[in-house]
Amino acid sequence: MNPDMRRLAILLMIASSVVISFSGLIVRTLDAAPLVMNFYRALFLTCAVVVLLIVRYRKAALIRVIGVGWPGVAAGAMLAGAAITFIQSMTHTTVANTLFVLAGIPFVTAGLAWIFLQERPNRSTLIAMLVAFLGIMIMIAEGFTIGSAYGNVMALLTTLCFSVYAVLLRFNRQTDMWPTILVSTIIIMVVVGVMQQGQLPISRQDLLICMVWGGLMSGFTSASFIVASRHIVAAELTIFMLLEFALGPVWVWLFVNEIPSRWTLAGGLLVIAAVLGRSLLEFRISRSNSAT
């Protein structure tokens, strides 16, 4: 495994997790209904992916999309399922409940990767996972409730769908999986369009925000995840996602003045320390190997 590419993959995952952590702030500023947000985010992400595919492959773009095959379709369906069930969870139970279930993504992914890919996480990765999970538990300790059964089930489905998506990317890492994003956005738009019966009202301001959210932020995050999946084991891929949960409340605090509790800040700092500590250790090991 190329150590330089591995370090680049880790940096991409950190950067993309920080970028997508602004999603909570965006949701707070939008007036559109949750499903409508999802539709227009997917629409602009579709446009971004199509442009990137054409620029990268030109006339061969369609061949690349077809070449992704059934594994790409399955991965795209899992990603779409994760996006749709996430919105359903957030609107039918508390944020704390949703975060509690989603914090299990690295563990579910690690288990599936261990079974199907024979990828066993090393000791430092397991320690980082446990420390980060403890941080998430501290963050939500004050606000966890039984909540809506439907919302909790949706959060569980989000966890399962995204974990399967991560494992599918790793299993097919020799295949160009960029078109899976296109598959996922098309599924999202079709499902939301049917659920909303074609009624998708949105203001011009919200439309512009969704353009940035879907076309730039989600595009960068999705592309980074696919690139990183070629060089990082599945368990490590999803550890970096926990940065989103830790930083999300901070941005809402800074820009909307929604003040987080001390427990939220303490837990968030623990998550950040676990992820950055694991990354710094990786860079130190890589430099030592290069020196020898």
Side-chain angles (χ1 to χ4, degrees), residues 156-271:
L156 178 60
L157 287 177
T158 303
T159 299
L160 293 175
C161 284
F162 201 92
S163 296
V164 172
Y165 169 67
V167 171
L168 285 172
L169 288 187
R170 280 292 294 169
F171 184 77
N172 297 280
R173 57 186 177 276
Q174 303 304 324
T175 303
D176 186 355
M177 298 294 279
W178 272 70
T180 59
I181 306 174
L182 192 61
V183 173
S184 71
T185 55
I186 291 173
I187 292 174
I188 290 171
M189 288 189 291
V190 170
V191 171
V192 173
V194 171
M195 292 178 67
Q196 291 289 113
Q197 298 180 346
Q199 302 298 315
L200 300 164
I202 190 170
S203 67
R204 181 178 298 179
Q205 180 179 344
D206 284 1
L207 190 65
L208 291 174
I209 294 175
C210 285
M211 182 186 300
V212 175
W213 186 18
L216 297 179
M217 296 169 59
S218 297
F220 172 69
T221 301
S222 299
S224 296
F225 195 89
I226 290 176
V227 171
S229 68
R230 299 179 181 178
H231 308 284
I232 304 177
V233 298
E236 286 183 291
L237 269 175
T238 49
I239 287 179
F240 298 101
M241 293 176 56
L242 296 178
L243 279 176
E244 175 187 352
F245 305 147
L247 293 175
V250 176
W251 308 138
V252 177
W253 172 31
L254 293 177
F255 295 101
V256 186
N257 200 30
E258 187 174 300
I259 302 175
S261 68
R262 293 179 180 178
W263 289 106
T264 297
L265 292 175
L269 287 174
L270 196 57
V271 172

